Amino acid sequence: MDKPARDLPPLDLLRGFESAARHLSFTRAAAELFLTQSAVSRQIQALEEFLGVALFERRHKALALSAEGRAYLRAIAPALEGVREATRALRETRGGAHVLTVTTTVSFASIWLVPRLAHWRKAHPAIDVRITATHDVVDMERMGIDVAIRDCPLDRVPAGAVHLASEHLSPVCSPAYLKESRAAGKPLRKPADLRHHVLIAFHSPVGRFPWLTWPVWLEPLGVEDFVPHATLAFDQYDQVLQAAVHGQGIALGRMTLAEGYIREGKLVALFGPPTSPGRGFHAVTSPRAAGKPEAREFVEWLREEIRRDARHAPRAAKVS
């Protein structure tokens, strides 16, 4: 006997509930589902009306599951995960195609990975690649991610992570900016000379990258009472380097990302050897992708590309 459709709530309502219940936050659920907070709230309200019970207890500045909500989550979470896994498996085997899903940061994707993907695609034409660029921490299993590329402190590397490259920092500017600085009588001989120039800053509203700021870089060098001539700030690091390339000031260069511009003659590194913030880029393969040859080959390709970059790493400019 067929089951009536009214016995099943819409899938979107179940996804909204499962995410909100897992995070105990409509705001975080909205970010995960790429919805607004009010949209998630409406989904929960519609599901509660459909079921005829309250799934959450709305407290002051807090959210908690009701007894019915806890029971419902235990029942539907495995079912939703089963649907996710079946969908992923079907999509990855459609027409015999293999799919590799990679997550990395916005800056690493736009500056380093995307320009090199043609090399990978040429060697692996049968593999479809999907890139998710975000600075957020992701649940690789839940999102169907095969490989994650992230930078982290060298003393807090995740278990099983493959080291790709260590972070190094150096001020960088365009050759034109360096030439104009000399002509204006504002040479760049030492870090203290930066006070006469426009510094391009990477600004994170939540303070996520304190190690990538000018004050933190300058402090170990003994540069005190530092106030630059002017600053220009961006909330995406690829924009920081683009501004430097176009001669708008001096940026604090992450050398793994800036080296390509330096090799092309679009940027020059200043003041001798770069410094280390004690961080590095790493690749993590999800447990579900551990047996996928394309995931293993992709990580090895990343390592070889970075090794090749290191062999041709540019030197800092000699300034006078």
Side-chain angles (χ1 to χ4, degrees):
M1 178 175 159
D2 292 338
K3 296 182 179 179
R6 64 178 178 272
D7 286 348
L8 288 174
L11 180 59
D12 282 350
L13 304 190
L14 295 178
R15 291 178 66 234
F17 165 70
E18 187 270 346
S19 181
R22 182 160 33 85
H23 292 294
L24 289 179
S25 167
F26 290 171
T27 301
R28 289 196 290 272
E32 180 176 87
L33 299 173
F34 299 100
L35 298 172
T36 64
Q37 189 270 347
S38 59
V40 172
S41 181
R42 287 194 298 270
Q43 286 184 343
I44 301 303
Q45 183 179 4
L47 182 59
E48 290 177 326
E49 291 175 356
F50 182 94
L51 298 171
V53 298
L55 298 171
F56 290 94
E57 296 175 1
R58 279 78 166 175
R59 301 172 181 173
H60 180 62
K61 294 185 178 181
L63 190 68
L65 283 166
S66 65
E68 293 84 357
R70 289 193 296 272
Y72 198 52
L73 179 64
R74 286 196 297 270
I76 72 162
L80 286 174
E81 187 56 37
V83 172
R84 289 190 187 98
E85 186 58 39
T87 302
R88 284 196 294 261
L90 189 60
R91 292 176 68 183
E92 291 182 4
T93 58
R94 75 199 195 305
H98 294 274
V99 179
L100 180 71
T101 304
V102 179
T103 179
T104 187
T105 61
V106 174
S107 55
F108 192 89
S110 63
I111 299 173
W112 194 95
L113 183 57
V114 171
R116 291 169 170 80
L117 269 182
H119 302 162
W120 165 263
R121 294 285 297 126
K122 184 176 181 180
H124 303 83
I127 299 175
D128 292 345
V129 180
R130 298 191 183 118
I131 306 295
T132 300
T134 177
H135 292 290
D136 295 335
V137 176
V138 300
D139 186 326
M140 296 179 67
E141 292 295 298
R142 186 172 298 278
M143 294 182 64
I145 301 294
D146 296 318
V147 178
I149 306 167
R150 291 291 191 274
D151 76 294
C152 65
L154 296 177
D155 58 356
R156 296 211 304 268
V157 178
V162 175
H163 179 78
L164 299 176
S166 296
E167 286 269 25
H168 291 91
L169 304 178
S170 177
V172 295
C173 67
S174 70
Y177 185 93
L178 184 61
K179 182 178 180 180
E180 291 169 4
S181 298
R182 291 168 176 163
K186 299 177 181 178
L188 288 156
R189 298 189 182 95
K190 56 187 183 300
D193 293 335
L194 291 169
R195 70 178 73 249
H196 304 298
H197 295 269
V198 177
L199 298 191
I200 306 171
F202 177 45
H203 172 66
S204 171
V206 295
R208 186 179 290 171
F209 305 93
W211 55 274
L212 192 53
T213 61
W214 283 108
V216 170
W217 184 80
L218 287 163
E219 183 178 3
L221 303 178
V223 180
E224 300 178 353
D225 301 323
F226 183 86
V227 178
H229 174 70
T231 60
L232 180 63
F234 297 92
D235 65 358
Q236 296 294 336
Y237 186 73
D238 55 338
Q239 297 167 357
V240 170
L241 287 187
Q242 281 297 311
V245 166
H246 291 284
Q248 296 179 31
I250 303 170
L252 190 53
R254 302 173 69 178
M255 298 309 288
T256 298
L257 303 181
E259 280 173 354
Y261 292 118
I262 296 174
R263 281 195 299 273
E264 295 169 1
K266 296 178 179 179
L267 290 175
V268 292
L270 308 171
F271 309 136
T275 61
S276 171
R279 303 179 65 90
F281 285 97
H282 297 80
V284 178
T285 302
S286 68
R288 60 178 291 277
K292 295 177 67 170
E294 54 266 33
R296 182 176 62 254
E297 292 168 9
F298 184 77
V299 172
E300 184 53 40
W301 172 78
L302 290 171
R303 296 180 67 191
E304 180 53 38
E305 286 289 312
I306 288 177
R307 283 195 291 262
R308 186 174 66 177
D309 286 352
R311 290 194 293 269
H312 300 91
R315 296 180 179 180
K318 294 181 178 180
V319 296
S320 59

